[in-house]
Amino acid sequence: MTVREHVPLASLTTLRVGGTARFVIECLSENDVVDALAFSTERMLPWRVLGEGSNVLARDEPYEGVILLMRNEGIEASTEGDHVFLTAGAGVSWDTFVREAAARELWGIENLAGIPGTVGAAPVQNIGAYGAEVKDTIHTLRVLDTRTGEISVLTNEACEFGYRDSAFKRDSGRIILSVTFALSETPAPSLSYKDLTSAAERGEDLSTPHAIGEVVRAIRALKFPDLSCVGTAGSFFKNPTVSVETYESLKARNPAIPGFLNETGVKIPLAFVLDKVLGLRGYTQGAVSLYDAQPLVLVARNGATAHDIDTFANAIAARVQDEVGIVIEREVQKLP
Ligand code: NAP
């Protein structure tokens, strides 16, 4: 267990803003996690868990607490019938895990290639892309309940997965230590999303999990900014689901607006609303902008503060509510 003091949160989060954390503990094993919690308790300090910090907005003020950096790695495989179970430590980088599954020719998570973050963070917001959601392959999770100190195995159902949502967002008292995925050796390409059907029409190779992963990474590279160049957390807001009536009234004014019927209404791409309805593509306030190639992505350049990002995001949400009548929710969570 390595303990560092007064660490800039900008160095631990992809939005690259924020004050310093009093302590940062790198947890290389489950024991390190237990020891880090004991360290916090002894000093009566609050704690928070971070993976790669790709979906969080730190505050500008110093954090007088302990950040547990999940860095426990390792991937193990076992087989049962047609299913191969891969168990990965919470600290494994998500795309490394996707590549490992593809190298074993296992299907199920190839459409989720290139998403930043760790395996342990993936269930928290039930990451999804191109018609796949991580919940569809999660078998069980090994979880530490920090209130009781007990380690238990949770089933998929116990996680209450929803659209970019899970029980872990509402209860931060549990730390995900590792995740077991049920993947399949049987080919099951899921190519219904426009970007992938277009790739198929162009004759790109989509015959293996590896090939699909590479196509998805290439598509993402065109739409999302390079994390090594600017501060960003990918999509800042969730795509909203609106009532059929709201969708129809939007469509009457904007005939090209896509809509995808689901159990609760019609899901619409917020990027379309920001770009075509509100004309906000590339909209900038100081050092914060909506990304040109994908307006759902917020970009923070050098000099931006957490306050600037917060103010900017609130202004965007207010415009969507005032001018289009839709209440939007952030995908990015505040830290702490
Ligand atoms: P996109 O593919 O243009 O999709 C925009 C919106 O339309 C999304 O809400 C998407 O639903 C929906 N949609 C598109 N085609 C659909 C279909 N055939 N059936 C049902 N719904 C459909 O969006 P993008 O911004 O370029 O992003 C590409 C993918 O990456 C999307 O799936 C997006 O959700 C995902 N993404 C995920 C995260 C994350 O997990 N944190 C972050 C960024 C982007 P879905 O949202 O259900 O896919």
Side-chain angles (χ1 to χ4, degrees), residues 7-8 10 18 21 33 40 47 58 87 98 116 130 132 141 145 147 150 160 165-166 265 299 301 321 329 331:
V7 180
V33 176
S40 314
W47 55 268
T87 300
V98 174
Y130 305 110
L141 296 96
D145 189 324
R147 290 154 297 218
E150 258 175 48
E160 298 166 21
D165 191 43
S166 75
V299 173
R301 287 179 305 285
Q321 182 162 9
E329 255 183 82
E331 192 172 291

Side-chain angles (χ1 to χ4, degrees), residues 129-183:
Y130 305 110
E133 287 185 292
V134 76
K135 74 172 174 57
D136 298 329
T137 53
I138 288 179
H139 181 60
T140 49
L141 296 96
R142 212 171 131 77
V143 168
L144 170 66
D145 189 324
T146 59
R147 290 154 297 218
T148 60
E150 258 175 48
I151 291 181
S152 58
V153 174
L154 292 188
T155 60
N156 180 307
E157 292 67 42
C159 301
E160 298 166 21
F161 288 121
Y163 182 65
R164 307 287 180 269
D165 191 43
S166 75
F168 300 107
K169 277 199 175 173
R170 294 177 285 281
D171 172 14
S172 51
R174 293 182 292 188
I175 297 178
I176 298 168
L177 298 171
S178 65
V179 185
T180 299
F181 298 82
L183 302 173

